[in-house]
Each structure stands twice: as C-alpha cells, then as structure tokens.
C-alpha cells in the first residue's frame, strides 16, 4: 500500500513475513523509488507510475526481477 502527498511517499509492502514499511522513498515525475528490508535483506524498487498502475524492477543483492501493481 502506497500513499503520496506531493513528492512524499509512505506505505507498506506485504511480504512473506507480513507488512514491512517502505524506506528511502522518492518520487520524481512518473518515477518512483523505494526500498524495503525484510528478513535482513534489502530490496530496492524502481518503477514508473502510469494512471492507476505501477511497474518496474526490483533488485535484491545480485538478483533482479520485474514487478507490477495496480490500484484496487
């Protein structure tokens, strides 16, 4: 769940160990960046907001994958 007011981003990500807060957040134009720390591992998300959808890439250590999300 992500909330934003102007360039300020807050929220949580539901993962395998429950909800974890977003850290190191940023929003510039359509680009969004945030990280989560879950189980001692940091995951860094970089994506683009398009209308009611969000898509991009997530990196954890040396591994990366794509992600997508949409409004409910």
């Amino acid at each position: 769940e992500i909330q934003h007011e102007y360039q300020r981003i807050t929220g949580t990500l539901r993962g395998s160990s429950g909800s974890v807060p977003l850290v190191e957040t940023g929003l510039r134009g359509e680009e969004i960046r945030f990280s989560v720390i879950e189980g001692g591992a940091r995951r860094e998300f970089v994506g683009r907001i398009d209308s009611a959808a969000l898509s991009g890439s997530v990196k954890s250590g040396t591994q990366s994958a794509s992600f997508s999300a949409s409004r409910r």
Side-chain angles (χ1 to χ4, degrees):
E1 183 174 325
I2 298 174
Q3 300 87 34
H4 75 90
E5 184 175 334
Y6 303 104
Q7 303 298 343
R8 185 171 185 259
I9 304 279
T10 58
T12 56
L13 178 74
R14 281 182 282 187
S16 59
S17 61
S19 293
V20 292
L22 305 183
V23 297
E24 299 174 359
T25 62
L27 179 64
R28 177 173 287 174
E30 295 178 348
E31 183 183 87
I32 185 171
R33 294 177 168 269
F34 58 90
S35 297
V36 296
I37 300 172
E38 182 179 22
R42 175 184 297 274
R43 288 190 271 164
E44 300 172 351
F45 293 78
V46 178
R48 290 193 124 2
I49 299 171
D50 181 22
S51 297
L54 170 64
S55 62
S57 63
V58 57
K59 182 177 178 184
S60 181
T62 59
Q63 298 180 343
S64 63
S66 60
F67 76 91
S68 64
S70 60
R71 287 187 185 189
R72 290 188 205 191

